[in-house]
Amino acid sequence: MNASVKAGDISTGEAIALHRAHLSKGRSQLAAMFGSLVEHSASGARVTTTDGQEFLNCGGYGVFFTGAGHPHIVTAVQRQAEKQALSTRLFLDPVVGLAAQALTSVAPAGLDRVHFSGSGTEATETAIKLARAHGKRRLISMENGYHGKTVGALSLTAKSFYQDPFRPLLPDVEHVPFGDTAALAAALAEGDDACVVLEPVQSEAGVIMPPPGYLKEVAALCREHNAFLVVDEVMTGLGRLGAWWGCDLEEVRPDVLLIGKALSGGVVPVSAALATPEAFAPFDSDPFLHTSTYSGAPIAMAAARATIEVIRDEHLVDRAAETGARLLDGLRAIAADRAPHLVREVRGAGLLIGIELVDASQAGELLLELVDRHVVVNHSLNAHPVVRVTPPAVLSPDEETQLLEAMDDALTAMAKRF
């Protein structure tokens, strides 16, 4: 066993063997491409492997906005776990009430009701059920959008690669081009029984930015056609775009707002669907209409409340805007100088940045080059040529420099090969 591994931990070889024996063999093969590294611990923007290597974590699929293991969040969860980790679900739980109060205090005005769950896809399912409870049978989402992989959410996730093995999915689902209000208007004109679901920025589609004013126009169309509007901010919400919400950037209040990823504080999985009182009415009238055993679990609620406090008190939304602007400028300059023939575009907002390569294989090469330089980023599930950079808002100046230098070195090396 490696000397850097503490007593009680398993070795790198044992971890790989367990994955191969009991988990996805494909996942093990993917890990082998990146050197079969095994995570051991994480703190802030850093993750350490079992062999003692330290990496700058600018990936994590957007979860680590407050960094990993923030002391305030960890302490809140530890205290709650010692007091009461889970509740009876029969008596009222004060912790979930306090978390809901904290979340609605930073949400767009009018979104006063909350349903908590464990993942973004569960939040999407909540929104679908609310829409259906209001008679909105037709679901309209955007091409290349991503809303999760449970059967209902997968019906909205407009990618045949993920959908085809599991058909038939939900009926009465239509996909229109993102950013195309004329196509949306045509779909809405078919009746007043529609629910529109979209992201302010399409993250898994490769960080696709909409035309200015698009979200506001979508909201106006929904009002005109009496459609239910759901805005999926599982990735973009809680400061990732340099604003509390993508909705805030265009002063839009949806019927339902979906939240996840950053809400966990990088500690305990949790998500939420926020709704107006009118949209939430079916759940108000029957508390057993939509339930989950672990919805509003006290330890998750402690994490959510503490996460909102950290984002607010440490001014992480402003830091995301400022750091993101510097990184976007720096990455664009590096791409233009080092590999203009390899990088099609660098785009984004706040700390959600996409680097589009000329093809998917080169995006894979960039991921590998960055790992070699001890930086972790992610690919895009719906756009394989796009590498996404999603660093935490607690990134230090030195870590910011490390990211840019690693990207400079990686693209320089690639430009020599391709």
Side-chain angles (χ1 to χ4, degrees):
M1 186 176 290
N2 190 288
S4 65
V5 181
K6 296 180 181 179
D9 290 329
I10 62 174
S11 70
T12 299
E14 289 171 328
I16 294 169
L18 287 173
H19 273 73
R20 287 176 177 164
H22 303 297
L23 301 166
S24 168
K25 290 183 179 179
R27 179 67 179 82
S28 297
Q29 292 168 352
L30 179 63
M33 293 175 56
F34 294 94
S36 295
L37 295 165
V38 176
E39 295 186 22
H40 176 260
S41 59
S43 178
R46 303 282 176 176
V47 59
T48 302
T49 56
T50 52
D51 60 358
Q53 297 187 69
E54 189 176 84
F55 292 79
L56 180 64
N57 186 6
C58 296
Y61 297 97
V63 167
F64 298 102
F65 185 71
T66 56
H70 191 289
H72 181 67
I73 303 170
V74 170
T75 297
V77 171
Q78 288 174 334
R79 287 175 177 169
Q80 188 59 47
E82 292 169 356
K83 181 180 180 182
Q84 185 187 30
L86 300 175
S87 60
T88 66
R89 304 306 304 275
L90 179 63
F91 305 142
L92 292 179
D93 175 14
V95 186
V96 68
L98 291 170
Q101 180 185 54
L103 186 53
T104 57
S105 74
V106 298
L111 296 175
D112 299 323
R113 295 289 198 277
V114 188
H115 178 83
F116 287 105
S117 47
S119 64
T121 193
E122 291 178 82
T124 302
E125 296 288 343
T126 301
I128 291 172
K129 292 177 78 172
L130 278 172
R132 290 281 171 91
H134 282 278
K136 307 303 180 182
R137 312 302 300 179
R138 293 190 300 126
L139 302 176
I140 303 172
S141 65
M142 307 300 132
E143 293 177 1
N144 292 317
Y146 187 89
H147 304 286
K149 290 177 179 172
T150 51
V151 171
L154 183 59
S155 302
L156 298 173
T157 296
K159 193 72 172 179
S160 60
F161 177 83
Y162 304 116
Q163 291 181 327
D164 287 348
F166 307 107
R167 295 187 188 278
L169 300 173
L170 291 184
D172 303 321
V173 181
E174 181 178 356
H175 309 301
V176 299
F178 184 65
D180 188 339
T181 52
L184 178 60
L188 288 172
E190 296 178 12
D192 63 356
D193 60 344
C195 169
V196 176
V197 184
L198 79 165
E199 305 153 272
V201 175
Q202 287 192 313
S203 177
E204 294 292 358
V207 191
I208 303 301
M209 310 295 295
Y214 172 65
L215 195 58
K216 186 180 286 290
E217 291 181 41
V218 169
L221 284 170
C222 287
R223 288 194 300 271
E224 179 184 345
H225 293 278
N226 194 31
F228 204 79
L229 176 60
V230 177
V231 176
D232 183 341
E233 297 230 33
V234 169
M235 172 63 82
T236 59
L238 292 173
R240 175 61 64 182
L241 297 180
W244 271 102
W245 312 99
C247 292
D248 289 344
L249 297 173
E250 297 196 7
E251 299 179 339
V252 167
R253 190 203 69 185
D255 295 293
V256 180
L257 180 71
L258 308 184
I259 307 161
K261 297 194 184 293
L263 187 60
S264 68
V267 177
V268 178
V270 62
S271 65
L274 269 65
T276 64
E278 296 78 14
F280 199 79
F283 291 178
D284 268 338
S285 61
D286 187 345
F288 296 107
L289 191 61
H290 180 60
T291 61
S292 172
T293 300
Y294 297 107
S295 172
I299 52 172
M301 297 301 93
R305 184 185 180 200
T307 296
I308 294 163
E309 291 169 349
V310 168
I311 295 172
R312 181 194 64 211
D313 297 345
E314 297 188 11
H315 309 289
L316 296 190
V317 177
D318 290 339
R319 289 175 65 178
E322 294 161 3
T323 303
R326 289 193 301 270
L327 286 175
L328 190 60
D329 287 345
L331 292 169
R332 282 173 171 164
I334 289 167
D337 183 53
R338 301 301 191 194
H341 61 297
L342 298 180
V343 180
R344 282 204 175 109
E345 186 180 17
V346 179
R347 55 182 176 262
L351 293 175
L352 177 58
I353 299 173
I355 302 171
E356 183 175 355
L357 282 296
V358 296
D359 62 48
S361 65
Q362 290 171 356
E365 289 289 335
L366 180 55
L367 287 171
L368 291 167
E369 290 285 351
L370 289 171
V371 167
D372 286 345
R373 290 157 179 80
H374 288 210
V375 172
V376 175
V377 295
N378 292 128
H379 71 291
S380 298
L381 290 176
N382 283 357
H384 292 172
V386 180
V387 168
R388 285 180 302 160
V389 182
T390 55
V394 296
L395 205 67
S396 71
D398 286 345
E399 290 165 340
E400 189 178 330
T401 298
Q402 179 186 352
L403 170 59
L404 292 173
E405 289 180 347
M407 190 66 70
D408 191 307
D409 290 346
L411 287 176
T412 298
M414 286 180 61
K416 293 177 181 178
R417 297 202 310 274
F418 299 103

